[in-house]
Amino acid sequence: TESDAKAVVESGASVTAGGTLSVLANAESTVEAKAVGLGQSLPGANIAISDTTTTSEAKIAAGAVVNGGNLKVKALNTNTIE
């Protein structure tokens, strides 16, 4: 499972906010893991494999002009394995 989120104020951009300017990226992934028996060669042994890639990016690039009361920049990754 792959999940990507990106929030960027690019170079050359001009942003004005009357209050708080928030640049937020939130990537969430949920993957289901299932156990598989290894059969008669190893009775009672199970294995579960899951794979998830989550990427988030929140940034204000060099060369961007930002005006506002407050600034909040946040990137969050949340991975859930069920």
Side-chain angles (χ1 to χ4, degrees):
T1 302
E2 288 191 27
S3 179
D4 297 311
K6 189 176 199 180
V8 179
V9 178
E10 295 287 354
S11 179
S14 179
V15 179
T16 301
T20 299
L21 172 64
S22 297
V23 181
L24 309 173
N26 183 17
E28 297 182 14
S29 292
T30 300
V31 67
E32 186 175 321
K34 294 187 179 193
V36 177
L38 297 178
Q40 293 179 351
S41 60
L42 291 171
N46 295 308
I47 186 170
I49 298 173
S50 63
D51 182 32
T52 184
T53 301
T54 307
T55 305
S56 63
E57 176 183 19
K59 73 176 184 177
I60 299 174
V65 177
V66 176
N67 296 296
N70 296 299
L71 176 63
K72 181 178 181 180
V73 180
K74 182 178 181 180
L76 178 65
N77 292 339
T78 303
N79 294 314
T80 303
I81 299 174
E82 298 177 340

